[in-house]
Amino acid sequence: CITRHIEEVGKNFHHHAAPDAVSGVKTLLNRGDSLAQFLNSVHVWNTDEGHHVTPDNSWGKSTLLMPNAYGVAFTASPLRADRKPLGRINGGVFDYMVNGPSMRELINMEYLSDYRLFAPTMSIDRSEIPVSEATGDLNQTALRKAAHKSQIVGDMVENYLKFAPGKRGIAFVVDIEQAKDVAERFNASGVKTMAVSSKTPDNIRQDAIRRFARGDLDVLVNVDLFGEGFDVPAVEVVMMGRPTESFGLYLQQFGRALRMFEGKLFGIIIDHVGNWKRHGLPDAKRVWSLEQDLRGTPRGKRDEDVMPLRRCSECFSAYEAITNTCPYCGHVEQPESRSGPEFVDGDLIEIDPDILAQMRGEVDAVRNGQASIPLSISDPKIIGAINKNFRNRQSAQAELRDVINMWAGIQTQVYDRTESNAYRLFYHTYGMDVLTAQAMKTPEMMKLTEEIRKAF
């Protein structure tokens, strides 16, 4: 650290009598006994990457060495791939969470750069890779096997030259052997590249980072080395060659391309492995809380609260599925079928007219119809109950229709969305199109009505 201080700013900031100390987790655990007097005097501990802290791991055990201290942890991704809770009430460590500005807010305030996300055809088949019960991420052995069967090495070089030639980038791959192969292919293509890993001697690794920051290297290829704690603003491109079930890891890798520096217009993400499809945009609105028992998305499933993305078949840009028009090149994606809402993302304008008429007929059957009473029923009480239930359903539908109209008015008038985009947004937000919603059973319509109201 002293050497780095002198190299970067010409001054050593270490002082033996400083009131603060900096230590690695392993160092604390190894020296806990000899440092006991000092650790008992600590009033506050701080840690970065706070999502690592659980009671039973090294991070959590290191905090127990300071029994008289309060703790404050910071993280950009407050969830774990193994879904272990972070809140003390559910078996974690922390009592309170304070949410700072979101990634999108930081981008808008120009503390982070904006980005372009390119999603070429996936190089690795994720369907063959099981999820580890222990880690919550993809099984490492199966992942390496799938990666070495793939064309990822050539694809990474080809797409870098296509989407980001001449820009400084970091490539994430699955293992050291593949890192060497990718670096060799880059160098053979005239792109100055070096592969680094945890096995690379520290002095060589630090020298590679310095050369990269100066522009003497174009690309650094690494294996899970630069996901956290790596801050070189010169990074313009991130190439994802390692699929992951962990949103935290995805977010950390994505963020390497978002550091600002003079002349940088936006970061470029080239995702070869479908992480974009699994996790959505990293700056999408998410709700973070310590009150949830199991953190993160259920294994193998997309976070349903986050808008899904589509990929432009012309320029390979990824964008939110509320539109079928690529915001980058203007290409309009044509649906494979118009026979149902699921084929057009709930966009009623694009549904086949006969199907649409049928759906509207189902809604009108509730809106304008009467209860259907079997001829075998003659008891006035039963007939009265059936009629009452039907009127309740009509009332629930009318209330739902009104709240949908209010929601749609906000989308079109306040947010200036087209009717088509509003339909799509509703579909991806609530999991159904607006007509199917109005044909549901009474309790389901009432529940959806309250859910939509909460959005106002």
Side-chain angles (χ1 to χ4, degrees):
C1 291
I2 291 173
T3 301
R4 292 290 299 278
H5 288 168
I6 294 173
E7 284 181 351
E8 294 188 13
V9 297
K11 182 179 179 180
N12 168 24
F13 293 95
H14 174 264
H15 193 285
H16 71 280
D20 302 286
V22 181
S23 171
V25 169
K26 290 183 179 179
T27 301
L28 271 185
L29 293 175
N30 290 336
R31 301 183 187 179
D33 291 340
S34 62
L35 293 174
Q37 183 175 355
F38 164 73
L39 294 173
N40 283 327
S41 70
V42 173
H43 297 295
V44 178
W45 56 259
N46 296 297
T47 183
D48 194 12
E49 312 301 352
H51 55 281
H52 288 302
V53 183
T54 64
D56 57 352
N57 66 9
S58 296
W59 293 68
K61 291 175 181 177
S62 70
T63 69
L64 298 178
L65 298 175
M66 297 167 278
N68 302 313
Y70 291 99
V72 181
F74 303 88
T75 180
S77 49
L79 77 171
R80 297 173 54 86
D82 61 12
R83 304 175 72 215
K84 288 184 178 180
L86 296 177
R88 190 189 305 275
I89 192 172
N90 295 311
V93 171
F94 301 105
D95 298 297
Y96 306 100
M97 175 182 285
V98 178
N99 287 291
S102 67
M103 179 185 286
R104 175 42 57 183
E105 289 171 329
L106 292 172
I107 290 172
N108 292 342
M109 291 188 287
E110 299 185 351
Y111 288 106
L112 295 176
S113 75
D114 216 329
Y115 62 86
R116 285 283 306 276
L117 171 59
F118 293 98
T121 302
M122 283 196 293
S123 300
I124 296 176
D125 184 1
R126 300 172 71 111
S127 64
E128 298 181 357
I129 310 172
V131 175
S132 167
E133 289 294 324
T135 67
D137 207 346
L138 298 172
N139 177 275
Q140 287 295 304
T141 301
L143 175 57
R144 285 192 291 268
K145 183 178 179 180
H148 286 286
K149 284 172 55 180
S150 73
Q151 302 296 316
I152 185 75
V153 174
D155 290 348
M156 294 188 86
V157 176
E158 177 185 346
N159 288 308
Y160 168 82
L161 295 173
K162 179 178 180 180
F163 298 118
K167 296 186 181 294
R168 277 174 284 185
I170 295 177
F172 292 92
V173 295
V174 299
D175 61 20
I176 295 175
E177 180 183 351
Q178 192 167 73
K180 293 177 180 178
D181 291 342
V182 171
E184 183 178 332
R185 185 73 66 91
F186 266 117
N187 283 310
S189 300
V191 180
K192 294 173 291 185
T193 303
M194 184 171 176
V196 291
S197 70
S198 58
K199 303 296 184 182
T200 306
D202 186 65
N203 61 322
I204 296 177
R205 188 166 64 241
Q206 293 301 327
D207 181 63
I209 293 172
R210 284 191 286 268
R211 290 170 60 198
F212 178 80
R214 292 196 305 263
D216 296 337
L217 284 174
D218 298 314
V219 174
L220 287 176
V221 187
N222 80 105
V223 184
D224 289 339
L225 196 61
F226 298 145
E228 292 181 353
F230 181 70
D231 185 18
V232 175
V235 177
E236 299 171 274
V237 186
V238 163
M239 290 162 274
M240 293 184 176
R242 183 215 190 280
T244 179
E245 290 292 291
S246 167
F247 173 73
L249 179 58
Y250 169 68
L251 182 64
Q252 295 280 357
Q253 292 185 355
F254 204 109
R256 298 315 99 195
L258 304 187
R259 298 296 187 266
M260 300 283 288
F261 68 88
E262 188 175 353
K264 181 178 178 180
L265 299 178
F266 50 79
I268 295 175
I269 313 298
I270 308 175
D271 183 353
H272 298 84
V273 290
N275 287 332
W276 65 275
K277 196 170 187 178
R278 171 66 178 84
H279 300 292
L281 296 179
D283 58 324
K285 186 177 181 180
R286 287 175 167 85
V287 178
W288 304 117
S289 172
L290 294 179
E291 297 177 1
Q292 295 169 260
D293 187 13
L294 294 177
R295 300 292 305 146
T297 308
R299 291 171 183 157
K301 295 184 178 179
R302 184 185 63 80
D303 187 343
E304 294 180 356
D305 293 329
V306 175
M307 188 63 60
L309 307 180
R310 67 165 69 249
R311 179 184 60 190
C312 176
S313 59
E314 287 292 315
C315 71
F316 295 102
S317 295
Y319 56 92
E320 289 188 333
I322 61 171
T323 177
N324 61 349
T325 303
C326 175
Y328 301 103
C329 74
H331 175 70
V332 179
E333 297 290 340
Q334 297 297 329
E336 295 180 3
S337 170
R338 301 177 187 270
S339 59
E342 67 275 13
F343 293 104
V344 293
D345 291 342
D347 186 350
L348 303 184
I349 295 173
E350 291 199 357
I351 293 180
D352 180 271
D354 292 337
I355 300 295
L356 185 59
Q358 178 182 335
M359 295 175 67
R360 284 179 172 154
E362 293 173 0
V363 173
D364 288 341
V366 177
R367 182 178 185 178
N368 303 317
Q370 294 181 338
S372 177
I373 301 175
L375 295 176
S376 59
I377 296 178
S378 58
D379 188 327
K381 291 183 178 180
I382 297 177
I383 293 173
I386 293 174
N387 285 324
K388 181 180 178 180
N389 289 338
F390 189 80
R391 288 194 298 271
N392 287 341
R393 189 180 182 196
Q394 286 179 318
S395 176
Q397 187 199 64
E399 192 172 2
L400 175 59
R401 184 167 55 252
D402 288 343
V403 80
I404 287 176
N405 287 337
M406 290 175 62
W407 180 91
I410 292 172
Q411 300 306 318
T412 55
Q413 300 301 315
V414 177
Y415 295 108
D416 199 30
R417 302 189 196 277
T418 65
E419 184 179 6
S420 174
N421 287 357
Y423 279 137
R424 289 170 176 269
L425 180 61
F426 187 92
Y427 179 80
H428 289 299
T429 302
Y430 299 107
M432 68 190 76
D433 63 279
V434 298
L435 290 181
T436 298
Q438 295 174 64
M440 294 191 301
K441 301 297 183 183
T442 303
E444 295 169 331
M445 284 195 282
M446 294 173 65
K447 181 179 179 181
L448 180 58
T449 298
E450 291 306 310
E451 187 177 351
I452 297 172
R453 280 194 176 125
K454 291 178 182 178
F456 294 159

